[in-house]
Every structure is written in C-alpha cells, then in structure tokens.
Amino acid sequence: MTQLKLGLPKGSLENATIELFEKAGWLIKPAARNYFPKIDDDEVACSICRPQEMSRYVESGMLDAGITGKDWTMENESEYVLVGDLVYSKVSRKPTRWVIAVAGDSDIKSLEDLEGKKVSTELVNVTRRFFEEKGINVEIEFSWGATEAKVVSGLVDAVVEVTETESTIRAHGLRIIYELMESNTQFIANKEAWNDTWKREKIENIFTLLQGALNADRIVGVKMNVAQEKLEEIVKILPSLNAPTIANLYNTDWFSVETVVSEDVVRDLIPALIKKGAEGIIEYPLNKVI
C-alpha cells in the first residue's frame, strides 16, 4: 500500500497540531516516548520531529510532507514545495514574531548600537543574514535555550528570540528594540512527492481539510424557525458568510432559517432574534468551513 510520510511538529505546536487534525477528521494517538504516533488513516504514516529539522527531512525525502514554521524553513534554506500557510500557534491564530531584545536598563537603543556587540539566538543563519544586509558587525552565538536569561546574566548584549505575547520577554525585564520578522506555521512537501499524482492529491486533501478546520475556528451555525410575517425583519439582522439559508416548513407558513456567524456575535444575536419573534433557536459548533 502506498503511504504518505507525514511529519508533525514536536514541542509547543504538537498538541495544537493533533487537535487541528482531529477537527479536520484524523484521530492521532501519540504514544509515550514514541516518535511514530498512530493515525486512523492507513494511507498516512506519521512521524514527530522538531520543527527546526522538518524542512531538511522533507527536502531529503525522508518525509513526503510536514508542518513546520516559516522561520525554520528560512533558517535551513531547504528546497521544498510550499503547499500553504496554516496560521495557528500554541495560544492564538496570530503569527509569531522574532524580535531583538536587550536588557531594560541597557544603553542600546537601536540596531546601530549593536555594532561590535554579542547576540545570542537559535535562529543563527537568519540573524547573520539580517545584520550583514544592515552592514552591522555583531558576534552571533547559537543558543541551546533559555536565551533571554543570557542577557540578564550579562553573557550577551542582546538576543533574537521568538515571542507571541511578549510575556516571557517582559518577565525577564527585557526591552524590544526591533522586530526582525513574523513567522507562521507552514505545510510543506517534498518536490518528488509533489510530482507523484497520488501523493500530491493526498497532500492537497489534507491541507484543504486542515485549512477548513482553521476557518471554522470561533464560527458557529445558528438555526431557527420564523413565521412568514416576521421573516424579512429577522433576515435584516442576521450576519452570514454569504446569505442565510431559508426553507419552508412543511404545510405551514413558517420558515427554517440557518446561518453561520462568528462565535462572539451570538451572545448579542440570540436575544435580538428572540425579541424579533424567532423560535426554536439552535446554536451548533462547526468543524470545518471550506
């Protein structure tokens, strides 16, 4: 049987990715100390690996496709096919940011002030290219982790670090002086796998359903019964992606009205619908919007 070798990111994105796949229709069951989780699809074989290494494995053909960060594909300068962006993270649906930060009481105020200084980061190649393009000479050292603490302890003058909420940076008393880049999650494919008709179709189907699951985030369906004389007034206050669905109820002058709306609208919408005469209102979650 032909199988698609799919890489899933280990670390902070692991749980969010598995939850996204479940919403898209695939049940993945990780096993303790096992890098090959089970998936309820005989056509897919999963491997879990670090996002920092994913693009190299995809480029080499060890994996047919994988989910990683734009930052790490840039860092590795690997060759691959970008299937598409999947904008999600461990805490939000916003891109992460790589920033340059210094100690709160540092005399360094701008990029130019880093001339001749020492910078610590995991994103060595991207950082080196950035400063070379700016014509600023810095000493860059690789960080194995706890990067922010190196500034606090005086081991380096600045760090290039990833952040979503800036909470860790603020907790260490650091100050951001520059935003280097934004990064988001990407679905990438091996070039040979992409040229294989079966694998390409499988990859595209997975991406479509994953994107559909993301599109459904914080969107719900709302369904109700409306008398004919109140229909126009109800429809006027209904938000929807395109237009509400309206169908006659059998042998009555009532209608079934259905729409899709943002979750944060519902708390105000339902009381308004009741006042306008809607009955039998149902709110239901959505797994995918495609």
Side-chain angles (χ1 to χ4, degrees):
M1 176 188 296
T2 304
Q3 279 191 318
L4 183 77
K5 297 176 291 185
L6 179 64
L8 305 176
K10 180 177 175 59
S12 62
L13 276 178
E14 184 176 342
N15 290 336
T17 301
I18 291 173
E19 289 171 6
L20 178 62
F21 267 85
E22 183 174 357
K23 196 172 182 182
W26 285 272
L27 183 62
I28 298 173
K29 293 184 177 180
R33 301 178 183 177
N34 188 329
Y35 290 91
F36 304 98
K38 294 180 180 180
I39 182 170
D40 62 343
D41 186 340
D42 292 337
E43 295 179 346
V44 179
C46 290
S47 300
I48 292 180
C49 61
R50 288 168 58 83
Q52 294 90 327
E53 302 172 307
M54 187 75 72
S55 62
R56 292 201 296 265
Y57 294 148
V58 170
E59 180 182 29
S60 69
M62 294 178 65
L63 295 171
D64 295 316
I67 294 175
T68 186
K70 177 182 176 181
D71 42 10
W72 299 116
T73 60
M74 292 177 63
E75 175 72 4
N76 295 326
E77 297 184 294
S78 304
E79 293 189 11
Y80 57 88
V81 175
L82 174 60
V83 182
D85 293 325
L86 293 169
V87 183
Y88 70 101
S89 65
K90 61 183 178 181
V91 297
S92 67
R93 284 200 60 191
K94 296 180 181 179
T96 56
R97 298 180 297 135
W98 282 88
V99 299
I100 303 174
V102 298
D105 58 357
S106 172
D107 293 332
I108 298 171
K109 307 295 183 185
S110 66
L111 290 177
E112 290 71 23
D113 294 337
L114 289 170
E115 177 71 31
K117 304 295 186 182
K118 183 182 289 187
V119 178
S120 180
T121 184
E122 288 184 80
L123 207 67
V124 172
N125 294 328
V126 170
T127 301
R128 180 177 292 112
R129 292 195 298 269
F130 170 79
F131 280 105
E132 286 176 353
E133 290 171 2
K134 294 291 184 180
I136 300 172
N137 296 309
V138 297
E139 179 185 346
I140 300 172
E141 67 171 33
F142 176 74
S143 173
W144 292 96
T147 310
E148 298 93 341
K150 293 179 172 64
V151 172
V152 178
S153 61
L155 296 175
V156 298
D157 301 290
V159 295
V160 174
E161 182 66 325
V162 66
T163 183
E164 290 187 51
T165 64
E166 299 183 17
S167 58
T168 303
I169 288 176
R170 289 195 297 267
H172 283 84
L174 304 188
R175 171 169 46 87
I176 295 173
I177 64 168
Y178 194 85
E179 183 174 313
L180 190 68
M181 61 177 284
E182 283 191 347
S183 177
N184 58 266
T185 312
Q186 294 184 325
F187 196 5
I188 63 175
N190 171 268
K191 288 185 175 182
E192 290 186 16
W194 191 250
N195 290 328
D196 180 285
T197 302
W198 183 89
K199 289 184 177 180
R200 179 168 181 167
E201 183 176 4
K202 187 69 175 180
I203 291 168
E204 289 179 327
N205 288 345
I206 292 173
F207 176 75
T208 296
L209 293 174
L210 290 175
Q211 190 62 64
L214 285 174
N215 291 341
D217 184 45
R218 293 191 59 78
I219 294 178
V220 297
V222 177
K223 192 172 184 178
M224 69 209 78
N225 295 330
V226 180
Q228 184 173 7
E229 66 270 15
K230 298 176 181 177
L231 183 62
E232 289 301 321
E233 194 172 359
I234 291 286
V235 169
K236 286 180 182 178
I237 67 169
L238 277 182
S240 63
L241 292 179
N242 292 306
T245 300
I246 301 175
N248 287 96
L249 294 181
Y250 182 66
N251 278 346
T252 71
D253 58 355
W254 282 67
F255 292 85
S256 172
V257 180
E258 191 167 6
T259 190
V260 175
V261 300
S262 174
E263 198 173 51
D264 57 6
V265 170
V266 175
R267 59 177 177 255
D268 297 319
L269 178 62
I270 289 179
L273 290 171
I274 293 172
K275 288 180 181 179
K276 296 291 184 180
E279 297 182 10
I281 301 171
I282 300 171
E283 176 190 340
Y284 54 90
L286 301 174
N287 280 333
K288 290 176 279 294
V289 175
I290 299 172

